[in-house]
Structure formats: structure tokens, C-alpha cells
Amino acid sequence: MVPAGGIGGARLLRGLAAVVGDDAVITVIGNTGDDIWVHGLRVCPDLDTVMYTLGNGISEERGWGREDETFTVKDELAAYGVEPTWFGLGDRDTATHLIRTQLLHAGYPLSAVTAALCDRWKPGVQLLPMSDERVETHVVVDDPDQTPEPGQAAARRAIHFQEWWIRYRAQLPAHSFAYVGLDNAKPGPGVIEAIDTCDLIIIPPSNPVVSVGTILQIPGIREAIVEAPAPVVGISPIIAGAPVRGMADACLRAIDVPTTATGIARHYGPRRALIPIGASGGGILDAWLIDTSDAAAVPDIEALGITCAAVPLLMSNLAKTADMARAAMDLVGFTP
Ligand code: FO1
């Protein structure tokens, strides 16, 4: 089972699928906190990134949206002066949003809609939304439209994660994250069952705050992973103090977590406390794979009660990603 966000999670899944082969069932719990209503369409970026990446429709260059994409509709909307002009709505991608929006309006839950869309893309994994309820990540920032009076603190405003991420490139310092709708959200169909019955849990190199972190916020999911019978191995999204892609550092700063492989291991926490032996550590990790450039951190991470190894973590091609997936399995003694 893999709780995944966008690009990092999707790319790891390609390597994992190559290692375990067609007979294995990979269940992906997809982050839906990035989801947004745009021009009346429901857009689910992290679900679509997994679906397109594993269905071979992804734009490799962008890491999101479709290959061979055009943005004519986006440009026409901008010509009308319709906001949000900052959102990159692709023409091919719009077909996915139109179908999803129609099915949601017809009353189908997001899980059923996602399954229907995957009928076309055949990603080769079971893609389950973390929840069928709407949960949206918002970011509390200093209001960019207001200049504070001298000596006055800036007014704060919550903006949608996508506006912070795309329009402001996460350059507006984030004070905190708010998960709108979280209070009445429950795990989507099949999510807890997948955690309880799977043979291995891999925490992929997705954004630990707004992707994996959001999934763990859904009541019941984190608890299920802590108690899961399967081993849990994570892969660091931070190499030598920087995210490989994206802006996870801006997110980690907002929650006072160091942008280091060790910082995130500590943030996720050990599943088993060192003392008393085997007691719950309250965390989710049995093991943590870090990059060779961070090898000096292995002893510190092992001292947390988390088994650790350092291997090359750059997913620059399928073979290297497959090696990473194998190394993660080896670290917890799992053979597919
Ligand atoms: N990311 C951008 O940086 N710019 C965009 O214009 C953009 C549009 C977009 C449209 C559909 C979609 O599924 C994803 C899109 N993304 C875009 C990526 C999106 O912001 C993701 O949520 C992040 O990459 C984090 O996972």
C-alpha cells in the first residue's frame, strides 16, 4: 500500500510496479487535499498525476497534466478576464475534469469516479482517494493584497493550496496549513482495509506535509498505519537538504520541521519505541531510506529506532527507481 501525493509518489510507483510485477496488487491511497474547483470543474491533481503517470499519459516535462497538451481554453478564459488565470488548465486535461464533474454532480462518490476514469488509463494500481468527502488544504499567509500599517502585523488570510503553490510559487511564507472539511471526513472505501491487509507499506518521496501529511490527517488513517501488521518503510523526499522537485522545504518550514532526511524521519516518527522494546513509538516508520549524500545521518536515524540505509535516491530513470524500490523492500526484509 502506498499513500501517495503527486510527482514523487507517482514516479516511485512506476519503479515499484516494475519490481513486483503484474501479479502483485499495489493499492495507492491518493491525496485529495490539493483538489480545487476551477471554472466550475473539479480538479484532482494528485489523483490525476498518479493516473496519468502510470497510464503513460503524463507530461514528463511538467510532471503534471497531459503530454502533448495545449492551453487554448485557458487562454480563451483569460481573454474574458475570468479568474483564476494563474491555473494551468490544459485542453486534454479538461476532458478528465468534465467527466469527473458530471459524475460528481450525478451523485457518484469520488472513489467511484476515480475508478471510472482509471478504466481508460489502466494505471495498473488500485487508486483510492484518501476520502470521498471534500478535504482541501488551505495555507495561512500574510495577506498579499494588504500592506500593513507601519509597526502593525500584517493581516493573515487563508488561500487555497493551489493558489499558494502555483500563483505564488510557495514564496509567501506559510504560517500554517488548514484542512478545510477535515472534521467530517472519513477514510474512503477500501482505505483502512488496504492498510490492515497489505503485506508492505511504502511511504513514497511525496511531500511529507501537504501530500503524505494530509493523508495522515484523515481520522483513522494514521492510527491504522501505526497498528498495521505490514512493515512500513519510507523514502526520503529530501536529498542533501533540498527537495528533489517541488517546494517541500516551504511546507516543512511552516511546521518547523528541518528540511533534512533526519528531520523528516523524526517528524514521521518511529513505529516501535526502543524502550520498552516493541512498545508503540506513536510514529509510522519501521525503516527510512535516505540518499547516499546523507549517509552520515544513518546512525542518528537508527538511534530514533528507525532502521536506515543510504542508497542513490534520484529517480532519473526507471531502472534507478526500481533499484530504490528494491532497496526499500530489502530494508524491511520484504521479498515480493
Ligand atoms: N502546477 C503548476 O506549477 N502550475 C500549474 O499551472 C498547474 C496546473 C495543474 C493543473 C492540473 C493538475 O492536475 C495539476 C496542476 N499543477 C500545476 C500541479 C499541481 O499544482 C499539484 O497539486 C502540485 O504539483 C502538487 O502536487
Side-chain angles (χ1 to χ4, degrees):
M1 187 283 292
V2 181
I7 303 165
R11 294 211 163 150
L12 172 87
L13 282 162
R14 270 200 298 216
L16 180 63
V19 172
V20 299
D22 297 340
D23 297 341
V25 172
I26 299 176
T27 300
V28 179
I29 298 178
N31 170 43
T32 59
D34 286 6
D35 297 3
I36 184 172
W37 284 107
V38 170
H39 306 302
L41 299 175
R42 190 68 178 161
V43 179
C44 300
D46 282 354
L47 295 179
D48 291 348
T49 294
V50 171
M51 184 174 74
Y52 289 154
T53 300
L54 299 178
N56 296 317
I58 195 79
S59 159
E60 290 295 344
E61 178 228 346
R62 275 182 270 110
W64 52 266
R66 290 291 314 283
E67 62 186 350
D68 303 331
E69 184 60 285
T70 51
F71 294 89
T72 307
V73 172
K74 173 182 184 287
D75 295 343
E76 287 298 306
L77 287 163
Y80 279 108
V82 172
E83 289 299 337
T85 52
W86 47 263
F87 190 83
L89 185 69
D91 299 325
R92 289 176 184 269
D93 200 22
T94 296
T96 299
H97 312 320
L98 283 168
I99 292 170
R100 178 185 292 120
T101 303
Q102 285 172 347
L103 290 175
L104 288 172
H105 286 330
Y108 292 96
L110 182 59
S111 48
V113 175
T114 304
L117 294 170
C118 286
D119 273 351
R120 169 187 174 188
W121 291 101
K122 306 206 180 332
V125 301
Q126 190 186 27
L127 179 54
L128 306 178
M130 67 184 192
S131 176
D132 273 340
E133 284 74 48
R134 180 177 169 192
V135 178
E136 287 185 7
T137 304
H138 286 240
V139 191
V140 178
V141 295
D142 290 344
D143 190 338
D145 299 330
Q146 283 194 33
T147 310
E149 297 300 322
Q152 292 286 321
R156 291 187 176 183
R157 185 154 70 93
I159 59 175
H160 192 285
F161 167 77
Q162 293 298 343
E163 183 171 9
W164 181 66
W165 192 260
I166 299 173
R167 183 178 184 191
Y168 296 109
R169 305 307 307 157
Q171 297 309 301
L172 287 180
H175 294 290
S176 62
F177 294 99
Y179 302 93
V180 177
L182 186 61
D183 297 346
N184 58 8
K186 55 185 185 300
V191 166
I192 299 301
E193 184 196 350
I195 297 170
D196 290 348
T197 60
C198 69
D199 302 312
L200 174 65
I201 296 174
I202 296 183
I203 309 294
S206 289
N207 187 310
V209 183
V210 292
S211 292
V212 175
T214 306
I215 295 168
L216 295 176
Q217 296 275 347
I218 301 297
I221 291 185
R222 180 187 183 88
E223 296 78 358
I225 293 176
V226 171
E227 299 304 324
V232 183
V233 53
I235 300 174
S236 177
I238 300 297
I239 293 180
V244 176
R245 282 183 78 124
M247 299 163 277
D249 45 345
C251 305
L252 289 161
R253 261 195 302 277
I255 61 168
D256 293 328
V257 172
T259 301
T260 63
T262 307
I264 300 175
R266 187 177 286 114
H267 173 62
Y268 281 144
R271 210 159 61 130
R272 299 282 175 267
L274 281 180
I275 299 171
I277 302 292
S280 171
I284 61 169
L285 293 179
D286 298 324
W288 185 238
L289 204 57
I290 65 177
D291 186 71
T292 42
S293 61
D294 295 313
V298 168
D300 292 349
I301 294 166
E302 297 239 320
L304 296 171
I306 300 171
T307 309
C308 185
V311 298
L313 287 190
L314 267 182
M315 298 186 279
S316 45
N317 60 45
L318 184 60
K320 287 184 180 169
T321 310
D323 289 345
M324 239 169 89
R326 269 190 211 92
M329 293 177 197
D330 293 348
L331 199 51
V332 287
F334 177 83
T335 47

